[in-house]
Amino acid sequence: MEFQKAARFVDPVAIEQAVNTALVSLDLPVAGAYSRPGIDISTSWRENLDRTFRSKKVEVNRLNQSLLDLLFLLHGEPGKPAVAVPVNCPSSECTAKDVAIPFRGGSCPSCKNPLYPTDVLRIHEEVTEEGTNESALGRLMSVLELLVLVGLVSLLWQQSRNELLCSTLFIVDGPLAMYGPPAKLRGRAQRYFQAMAATTPGNGPYICGLEKTGGMVDYARQLARHDVLQPGDLLVCDQEVVKVITNTDNPAAYGKETYWGRKFVYRAKDGRIVVPTVMPEQGAAYDAGGGQPGPTGYPTLPAILDVIDRTGSSMYQDGIIPVAVAHGKAAFPIGVGTDVLRLVAEHKLGLGSASMPNL
């Protein structure tokens, strides 16, 4: 990155060669489909999630752990996975809660129905018989992103705690938060990474989330538009700011059930507007008393802002290179993607040319 910064034009080949990517792919029924006869779509999801979490792995260098391994690690502490996870029985006629389910799975002590460790995510609660189930898929994507983060940070914590972990920034596309039924993972993530920070030299691990849309981003862009925020300025989003943005009389309640990091507004030295979410060294970012607005208590913040300043990207508004590259790997290009989807639609509908071009 530093070499490209000194060049007149960015070399796309150099950027491409600097990137290593991997995808977690899986299949789930969205509507009107079931994994086997005699069960509903909610049970189909529960069975498929258990099977997927056991088979899909995060494999990087010496890291070779399944998603289920990482789920148990998140419920434990760094280097010491939990032996069981608390599961509520999904049966509508059963009231059993916080049943300790081990890695191999188990059964409900009350109704004897099978329980899976992935039931702790409660994603099946948002699955419906009709509709696209995009909400449930979105919850699952957030869980997978968190588990991959747990695996990668844990790898450096175990293998290179004094070197690589102290010089690596992990960026999540979106805020450090969990929404919906899996929201309890927020507290698990906060405790896990704070325990890791307590055993890491310096201020690491360095973790932040970056938001590109939403009320906070819109508010920040208006401040920059009217020159209220100057390049290099950091806005601390205390209760007064939260009250204005959310238009609520109870700003202290904001984020306390979902966020494990605190939002800041930063106008980079080149004028970009960025809303990073940063984890506090100790305690909760948000709580019933308003949390920790900062910047005291966020020792990783200066290094995170420095990286944001040095990795700007013009590929999209207020972008940074790592997120832009990730989008390029996961999304359809606007031009080519539109053409491909149009050709496929015409072919399926019997329109256009009789032959389908090779894609």
Side-chain angles (χ1 to χ4, degrees):
M1 295 300 180
E2 294 295 338
F3 176 79
Q4 289 299 305
K5 182 179 179 181
R8 182 181 180 187
F9 298 106
V10 174
D11 183 354
V13 176
I15 297 297
E16 177 69 21
Q17 292 175 344
V19 176
N20 182 22
T21 61
L23 298 176
V24 178
S25 61
L26 48 89
D27 298 306
L28 288 165
V30 289
Y34 312 95
S35 58
R36 60 183 177 85
I39 60 173
D40 59 13
I41 194 170
S42 177
T43 304
S44 296
W45 269 64
R46 292 178 56 228
E47 292 182 356
N48 283 342
L49 283 181
D50 179 70
R51 181 165 52 250
T52 297
F53 272 55
R54 293 180 187 276
S55 60
K56 297 292 183 178
K57 293 185 176 182
V58 178
E59 299 176 273
V60 180
N61 295 334
R62 285 171 284 184
L63 175 66
N64 183 15
Q65 291 183 294
S66 69
L67 294 173
L68 193 57
D69 289 325
L70 297 175
L71 182 63
F72 274 78
L73 184 59
L74 180 61
H75 279 79
E77 57 188 64
K80 188 179 179 181
V83 297
V85 294
V87 169
N88 296 341
C89 182
S91 175
S92 59
E93 301 175 354
C94 184
T95 59
K97 296 184 180 298
D98 293 331
V99 181
I101 299 299
F103 192 92
R104 66 179 182 276
S107 59
C108 176
S110 299
C111 66
K112 307 305 179 183
N113 284 332
L115 298 179
Y116 310 106
T118 48
D119 288 340
V120 70
L121 302 174
R122 297 171 54 198
I123 293 177
H124 57 272
E125 294 180 8
E126 289 196 338
V127 178
T128 61
E129 294 287 346
E130 299 180 357
T132 61
N133 285 312
E134 290 181 5
S135 177
L137 289 169
R139 307 300 188 208
L140 177 58
M141 182 181 69
S142 296
V143 170
L144 295 181
E145 289 174 345
L146 176 57
L147 294 181
V148 170
L149 178 66
V150 168
L152 296 178
V153 179
S154 298
L155 172 66
L156 294 193
W157 182 80
Q158 292 174 336
Q159 304 294 342
S160 188
R161 196 177 311 178
N162 297 313
E163 297 178 2
L164 291 179
L165 185 59
C166 298
S167 59
T168 301
L169 172 61
F170 296 88
I171 301 174
V172 177
D173 184 14
L176 300 182
M178 293 297 299
Y179 304 99
K184 284 190 175 181
L185 292 185
R186 173 207 64 85
R188 300 287 182 181
Q190 177 180 291
R191 287 189 290 271
Y192 185 86
F193 288 116
Q194 287 182 344
M196 185 176 288
T199 55
T200 299
N203 296 324
Y206 296 91
I207 302 172
C208 82
L210 288 178
E211 295 183 63
K212 301 182 297 301
T213 59
M216 192 77 73
V217 175
D218 294 339
Y219 177 74
R221 287 173 178 166
Q222 290 301 314
L223 294 180
R225 178 184 177 186
H226 295 284
D227 293 325
V228 177
L229 277 181
Q230 299 294 323
D233 283 353
L234 176 71
L235 175 64
V236 174
C237 299
D238 57 15
Q239 289 194 51
E240 291 301 317
V241 174
V242 171
K243 183 177 182 179
V244 171
I245 295 174
T246 60
N247 193 31
T248 178
D249 292 330
N250 185 22
Y254 178 83
K256 66 185 182 69
E257 300 293 336
T258 52
Y259 284 85
W260 53 280
R262 184 86 186 195
K263 292 184 181 184
F264 294 86
V265 171
Y266 179 59
R267 189 172 188 185
K269 294 178 180 178
D270 60 4
R272 286 173 297 123
I273 291 294
V274 182
V275 178
T277 314
V278 183
M279 183 185 70
E281 185 177 24
Q282 297 177 349
Y286 299 95
D287 57 29
Q292 306 178 58
T296 303
Y298 299 84
T300 63
L301 184 59
I304 290 171
L305 299 183
D306 176 62
V307 172
I308 290 173
D309 276 327
R310 293 188 290 114
T311 57
S313 171
S314 60
M315 292 181 69
Y316 63 86
Q317 186 179 8
D318 300 324
I320 71 168
I321 292 175
V323 177
V325 171
H327 283 188
K329 296 293 182 179
F332 283 117
I334 293 177
V336 176
T338 300
D339 291 340
V340 170
L341 294 175
R342 177 179 53 80
L343 289 171
V344 171
E346 289 180 350
H347 175 70
K348 294 294 185 182
L349 295 173
L351 304 175
S353 59
S355 61
M356 184 72 176
N358 294 325
L359 300 177

